[in-house]
Amino acid sequence: MPNRPLYNQDATEILSELKTDRHHGLSQDAATALLEKNGYNQLKEAASTSLLQKFINQFKDFMIAILLVAAVVAAFTGELVDAIFILAIVIINAVFGVFQEAKAEDAINALKEMSTPNANVIRDGKEMSVKSTALVVGDIIRLEAGDIVPADLRLIESASLQIEEASLTGESVPVNKVSDTLTDKDLPLGDRTNLAFMNTNVTYGRAVGVVIGTGMQTEIGHIAGMLEAADETKTPLQENLIRLGRVLTYLILIIAAVTFVVGLARGRETIIDMLLTSISLAVAAIPEGLPAIVTITLALGTTRMAARQALIRKLPAVETLGSTDIIGSDKTGTLTQNKMTVEKVVVNAEIQDAATTEELSGTYARLADILALNNDTKRTENGYVGDPTETALIAFNENHHRDIDTLFSEMPRVAEIPFDSERKLMSTVHPAPNGYIVTVKGAPDELLKRATQIEMHGDVVPLTDEIRTKLSDINSELATQALRVLAFAYKLSDTVPPNMTSDAVENNLIFTGFVGMIDPERPEVAQAVLEAKAAGIRPMMITGDHRDTAAAIAIRLGILNEADKATAVISGSELDAMTDEAFAANVHKYNVYARVAPEHKVKIVTAWQKKGKVVAMTGDGVNDAPALKAADIGIAMGITGTEVSKGASDMVLADDNFATIVHAVEEGRKVFANIQKSLQYLLASNLAEVISIFVMTLLGWNILAPIMILWINLVTDTLPAIALGIEPAQKDAMSRQPRGRSASFLSGGVGAAIIWQGILQAVIVLSVYGFALAYPVHAAEFEAHRDALTMSFMTLGLMQMFNAINVKSVYGSMFGPQAFKNKLFNWALLGSLIVMAAVVVIPPLNPIFHVSHLDGYQWAIVLVAGISIIIIVELVKLVQRKFFKKG
């Protein structure tokens, strides 16, 4: 074919190139040959991952590998209990990961399921119905109202054809289609009016078209390819955990190696002894419970969010919401209701809000009658079906409690001139009390040209130039508000016009009024936008609609300021004209993107991501899926959303309520804060264990055995750490700026707190050991060291649990109103204290854990040392708040 877009080529030229004919179509043999050559008219499926592969993938983390090596070494050196403990923790974490991955749907399969089952095709000169999957390029297709377009078509005949393309372009109003050759170059998808696209809906008229693309070669196939090729983005949570794991791994290797070398250099330990010591250090340094704690905390967050209509498909999305900087939202069906509504009524040359118009009488009643009569809407069991503009006119009548069924029965349509996109008018003829009434609906400019009178306050008067100018001004005013304006007129006739042509009928009209329609914003969205801005989040509108419509809705929602209307709105064609570098440099200027294609949406998302921003993208259509997948968090609509958008998303809004996102952001911020608390608690504890074992090795003391460390970690890393995951949100959670992508779990003073609190705990543990040696209960050196080790073991365990109270706030006091509000935490702490003490109090457990039985004096030392962590940390926090203005 010529190297020009198909919409710029003449239909006969295309038919010739494709070796097909308008009336004869392809031969069955030719169609079969093309089908074998090019494949079926369906979308390619993506490869799936088996459960076994998912399970194996969980073990590709380096920290997990170290734990597995530690388990093997422990097993070979006879420490089977240690090995079993480590393996159990690793396997539980892997099962958690597999469970979450197994819940994800496949977006490409969802796209495939959308294909229409049958199509009306002409082959060998005969019209027949075939499965849409059997269509090939060159097939001649017949379209009628109600059909789903089975493949991409170049229209060769068109009669009043309108196609609703919201799922592809995002534009809610059906597009008037033509068969003419278009002359404009580089047209966006929504303006290619002589093309029909696969899986869009014919709402009005009829047409004949030739197939120009099937399967993956269609526009929807192009989107499917983008989905398949798109890289999975790592969430800030995943990136944080990867960075943390890398740092911990290096530290573990260095500390274990140094300890191993120092121990051998002292000459008092064997290689096996130092190997076990190194294993103890590895076990102490690795927060084995962290993956499980993060998973559980996120899972608890998903449960709370589900109760608020936000359904999480991928666990990390919970936390990602809390760090979101940008929310790019589709307009149609997300910010708006995806339902055309009459908003303004113009009668007697005056504008009035449609909702406040009281009982209709006089000229208002005349206009309402014309709205209903000049209308092709059909009533079905599932409501009204038809052009959204026309169903809005019926809804206007019903909202004003008018009996339109009686109107239809008394004034049935007896003749008509269908709508035509060239003259932009539609006329119908109905019986009237004294003859017949001709009703006319259409574009204001065209209808005003054909009107000579106007009905004002129930009287028909001449349409003067003064009134005509006023009406033109009103039309312009409504258009600037992004309202779709339709004009209505009528004339009376003694008989049905014998010649039903535009020239014969659509003249000498009596102008009645205008209606201004719009796809209105959801009532709760403006408040949600306000709250998002207060939380430091930037909402943006990304839509396929026209510039003025998008800008008007954005201003009404608070996404755009009136003063920025000229500079903060950009169209898809303007975006194409900019280089990637220029756009990246100016992306911060734009709040509204109009007339954009799917590629533009991905470009917008990635531009913000390159600036280090965490981007959320909401949407409901097929066109949104690539951007949903590319975004850090994709948010699909649960009610109006396509299966494709849901399959590509991280979160689904069950109520399609934009305001639910704000609640989800608050929950996400709470989840991050609670993971931070758990992390501070775990890492400070592990640091204390590492320092204690390292110093004990240098001093030649008995060291904490691997099973001791694992027991402490098992007791302290489970219930208390999980309970920290459901701490209530801090009051100022939604008044802070987003953390952004560069923030980590160690920011906000958490890293420093981990270090000094870990060192403090190690100093206290070593002090208890030294005190127990200096003032032993038993004279024998072996028993004295065993007692000292047991007291250090218990001090470390109890102190870690008491420190869980401290980490509820980095700088705030534990003696606040919310200190013990979390009842689960209180019970978890009490239960863990009892379980921790049990290994010493119950004699049969003593040899298993290499501990001795303590007397009252020794227990007193342990308790005082354990509780001291609360007192010391409270004093340090007080100094930080008072002298360094922290918190």
Side-chain angles (χ1 to χ4, degrees):
M1 284 191 182
N3 189 23
R4 286 177 290 142
L6 290 171
Y7 55 82
N8 288 147
Q9 297 181 38
D10 185 74
T12 55
E13 183 181 9
I14 294 172
L15 290 171
S16 175
E17 289 289 339
L18 296 178
K19 298 178 181 178
T20 187
D21 178 80
R22 154 66 183 92
H23 300 290
H24 187 271
L26 295 173
S27 68
Q28 190 63 50
D29 291 341
T32 302
L34 285 170
L35 190 63
E36 291 176 357
K37 178 183 177 182
N38 299 323
Y40 286 98
N41 178 32
Q42 58 189 24
L43 302 176
K44 187 169 65 175
E45 296 183 44
S48 59
T49 305
S50 68
L51 283 176
L52 179 61
Q53 288 173 309
K54 288 184 175 72
F55 186 76
I56 292 172
N57 289 339
Q58 305 303 314
F59 295 91
K60 293 182 179 179
D61 183 88
F62 195 56
M63 285 175 63
I64 298 296
I66 288 181
L67 280 176
L68 290 174
V69 171
V72 171
V73 174
F76 274 105
T77 54
E79 299 291 343
L80 290 177
V81 176
D82 291 19
I84 291 171
F85 265 78
I86 297 171
L87 284 174
I89 290 169
V90 170
I91 291 172
I92 289 170
N93 179 57
V95 171
F96 266 121
V98 171
F99 176 74
Q100 286 305 318
E101 286 190 30
K103 291 169 63 178
E105 294 90 13
D106 189 286
I108 305 301
N109 285 342
L111 274 166
K112 183 174 179 288
E113 290 300 316
M114 289 179 63
S115 298
T116 182
N118 291 291
N120 295 319
V121 61
I122 298 173
R123 286 183 182 169
D124 291 319
K126 299 176 183 177
E127 184 171 335
M128 60 183 72
S129 179
V130 302
K131 287 189 176 295
S132 64
T133 53
L135 294 180
V136 296
V137 172
D139 267 329
I140 304 298
I141 305 297
R142 189 183 298 280
L143 296 177
E144 294 181 350
D147 287 349
I148 298 174
V149 180
D152 280 7
L153 309 177
R154 167 62 162 89
L155 300 176
I156 53 180
E157 290 181 13
S158 176
S160 304
L161 183 69
Q162 294 183 357
I163 297 181
E164 189 266 306
E165 298 177 340
S167 65
L168 189 64
T169 66
E171 185 170 358
S172 54
V173 177
V175 179
N176 294 316
K177 294 291 186 175
V178 297
S179 59
D180 302 336
T181 303
L182 304 179
T183 56
D184 291 345
K185 309 296 183 183
D186 300 321
L187 289 174
L189 210 59
D191 292 336
R192 298 173 190 177
T193 52
N194 59 7
L195 303 183
F197 303 108
M198 184 177 181
N199 286 337
T200 56
N201 303 300
V202 179
T203 61
Y204 190 80
R206 59 188 183 277
V208 175
V210 58
V211 175
I212 56 174
T214 61
M216 297 300 289
Q217 303 306 312
T218 62
E219 286 297 329
I220 198 171
H222 178 49
I223 294 173
M226 291 168 61
L227 277 175
E228 189 177 36
D231 295 328
E232 289 286 349
T233 54
K234 284 187 170 60
T235 68
L237 173 65
Q238 291 168 324
E239 291 177 348
N240 270 319
L241 290 176
I242 289 170
R243 284 197 298 267
L244 178 63
R246 192 178 296 124
V247 171
L248 288 177
T249 298
Y250 294 148
L251 289 175
I252 291 163
L253 293 175
I254 293 170
I255 293 171
V258 170
T259 304
F260 186 82
V261 171
V262 170
L264 289 180
R266 286 171 52 85
R268 295 177 55 182
E269 306 288 348
T270 65
I271 291 178
I272 294 296
D273 288 337
M274 290 314 303
L275 196 57
L276 286 173
T277 300
S278 297
I279 290 173
S280 295
L281 272 169
V283 171
I286 296 175
E288 302 96 331
L290 180 60
I293 296 302
V294 169
T295 301
I296 291 169
T297 302
L298 292 173
L300 291 171
T302 64
T303 303
R304 291 190 297 268
M305 292 171 76
R308 303 184 79 169
Q309 305 300 313
L311 309 179
I312 299 298
R313 296 184 63 251
K314 300 172 185 176
L315 277 186
V318 180
E319 181 276 333
T320 309
L321 274 166
S323 58
T324 298
D325 297 287
I326 308 291
I327 297 178
S329 176
D330 179 47
K331 178 186 76 70
T332 305
T334 307
L335 298 172
T336 64
Q337 299 175 27
N338 196 19
K339 181 177 65 176
M340 292 299 289
T341 303
V342 176
E343 186 166 280
K344 301 289 185 181
V345 177
V346 178
V347 169
N348 307 321
E350 296 174 348
I351 302 176
Q352 189 166 340
D353 289 336
T356 59
T357 304
E358 298 179 358
E359 182 179 353
L360 303 182
S361 60
T363 307
Y364 282 104
R366 172 80 75 181
L367 175 63
D369 285 346
I370 298 174
L371 300 186
L373 294 172
N374 196 303
N375 203 304
D376 287 327
T377 299
K378 300 290 189 295
R379 189 199 296 272
T380 68
E381 294 179 357
N382 299 318
Y384 289 110
V385 175
D387 182 290
T389 299
E390 295 195 329
T391 58
L393 302 178
I394 296 294
F396 173 81
N397 273 274
E398 292 196 333
N399 291 340
H400 289 83
H401 312 292
R402 304 190 78 245
D403 186 1
I404 56 176
D405 288 331
T406 301
L407 178 69
F408 292 152
S409 63
E410 293 179 351
M411 302 179 68
R413 184 183 305 183
V414 294
E416 66 179 310
I417 305 176
F419 175 82
D420 182 271
S421 58
E422 291 186 5
R423 79 180 202 284
K424 299 179 182 177
L425 296 172
M426 171 180 172
S427 297
T428 61
V429 182
H430 308 263
N434 297 310
Y436 293 87
I437 182 172
V438 177
T439 70
V440 185
K441 169 182 70 183
D445 293 342
E446 292 298 323
L447 192 142
L448 282 171
K449 290 178 185 176
R450 301 165 186 252
T452 57
Q453 297 174 290
I454 182 172
E455 183 171 320
M456 302 272 284
H457 305 288
D459 297 324
V460 177
V461 298
L463 182 57
T464 63
D465 289 342
E466 182 182 355
I467 298 176
R468 195 183 296 272
T469 301
K470 185 175 182 181
L471 290 172
S472 295
D473 291 342
I474 290 174
N475 178 38
S476 299
E477 181 183 345
L478 295 178
T480 58
Q481 299 174 34
L483 297 176
R484 187 183 188 196
V485 184
L486 280 178
F488 297 85
Y490 73 98
K491 70 178 181 180
L492 301 175
S493 174
D494 294 332
T495 62
V496 175
N499 183 15
M500 289 297 295
T501 64
S502 178
D503 291 339
V505 175
E506 294 169 343
N507 54 50
N508 297 318
L509 301 176
I510 303 169
F511 182 83
T512 313
F514 294 140
V515 295
M517 290 175 287
I518 199 167
D519 177 11
E521 68 274 16
R522 292 178 177 271
E524 69 282 346
V525 170
Q527 179 61 29
V529 168
L530 194 64
E531 292 177 18
K533 286 186 172 182
I537 300 168
R538 181 172 181 167
M540 299 187 312
M541 178 188 290
I542 304 175
T543 178
D545 257 345
H546 289 281
R547 186 188 194 107
D548 291 343
T549 304
I553 291 290
I555 290 170
R556 289 161 65 149
L557 291 174
I559 292 175
L560 185 68
N561 295 324
E562 183 71 46
D564 299 329
K565 184 177 178 180
T567 57
V569 183
I570 185 172
S571 68
S573 57
E574 291 172 319
L575 199 56
D576 283 332
M578 298 175 71
T579 63
D580 289 346
E581 293 75 17
F583 176 59
N586 293 282
V587 67
H588 62 280
K589 297 179 180 178
Y590 308 117
N591 279 357
V592 177
Y593 296 82
R595 300 301 279 170
V596 294
E599 299 92 327
H600 295 136
K601 297 186 178 186
V602 176
K603 186 175 181 178
I604 294 161
V605 169
T606 53
W608 278 111
Q609 287 173 332
K610 287 178 182 177
K611 285 186 171 290
K613 301 297 184 181
V614 178
V615 184
M617 173 68 185
T618 71
D620 61 353
V622 174
N623 60 312
D624 296 318
L628 292 180
K629 189 173 181 181
D632 296 288
I633 175 166
I635 307 170
M637 302 296 111
I639 298 172
T640 60
T642 61
E643 290 304 310
V644 185
S645 62
K646 294 175 188 175
S649 69
D650 303 290
M651 183 176 93
V652 177
L653 299 182
D655 58 358
D656 282 16
N657 190 335
F658 186 89
T660 302
I661 299 173
V662 178
H663 302 317
V665 167
E666 182 179 8
E667 190 64 46
R669 292 189 175 189
K670 180 169 75 173
V671 165
F672 180 86
N674 288 347
I675 291 176
Q676 255 191 331
K677 293 168 188 174
S678 297
L679 188 67
Q680 180 184 342
Y681 169 60
L682 294 174
L683 293 188
S685 300
N686 288 19
L687 180 61
E689 294 166 7
V690 169
I691 294 174
S692 298
I693 292 173
F694 184 68
V695 175
M696 285 175 170
T697 303
L698 293 179
L699 297 176
W701 292 350
N702 290 351
I703 66 167
L704 297 166
I707 193 169
M708 288 181 167
I709 297 297
L710 277 168
W711 183 251
I712 291 175
N713 289 354
L714 184 66
V715 173
T716 62
D717 289 9
T718 51
L719 292 180
I722 292 172
L724 283 171
I726 60 169
E727 280 289 300
Q730 295 178 342
K731 292 181 179 179
D732 61 347
M734 288 300 286
S735 60
R736 299 177 181 177
Q737 292 297 302
R739 299 184 311 277
R741 189 177 296 280
S742 60
S744 74
F745 285 120
L746 304 182
S747 58
V750 172
I754 288 171
I755 294 172
W756 72 261
Q757 289 176 15
I759 294 173
L760 175 62
Q761 291 180 58
V763 169
I764 295 172
V765 168
L766 295 170
S767 298
V768 168
Y769 196 109
F771 184 85
L773 286 182
Y775 303 96
V777 172
H778 300 93
E781 183 179 355
F782 173 78
E783 291 183 336
H785 273 281
R786 174 61 66 87
D787 287 350
L789 189 64
T790 302
M791 292 170 67
S792 299
F793 166 63
M794 288 306 303
T795 299
L796 183 58
L798 297 183
M799 189 164 46
Q800 287 183 11
M801 284 181 272
F802 288 134
N803 197 47
I805 303 173
N806 293 325
V807 302
K808 289 188 176 187
S809 175
V810 177
Y811 301 112
S813 172
M814 63 165 282
F815 299 108
Q818 290 187 313
F820 297 98
K821 190 176 181 180
N822 185 348
K823 293 182 179 178
L824 177 61
F825 176 83
N826 301 336
W827 286 109
L829 198 62
L830 179 61
S832 297
L833 288 169
I834 293 171
V835 172
M836 185 70 205
V839 299
V840 173
V841 173
I842 301 173
L845 297 178
N846 293 172
I848 297 175
F849 290 91
H850 315 297
V851 297
S852 59
H853 199 70
L854 302 180
D855 61 17
Y857 164 74
Q858 291 169 317
W859 270 114
I861 294 172
V862 169
L863 288 173
V864 169
I867 294 173
S868 68
I869 190 72
I870 295 177
I871 300 170
I872 296 171
V873 170
E874 278 294 309
L875 290 173
V876 172
K877 286 182 179 181
L878 179 63
V879 171
Q880 288 176 322
R881 292 195 302 272
K882 189 167 184 178
F883 295 101
F884 298 99
K885 307 301 180 184
K886 297 290 186 180

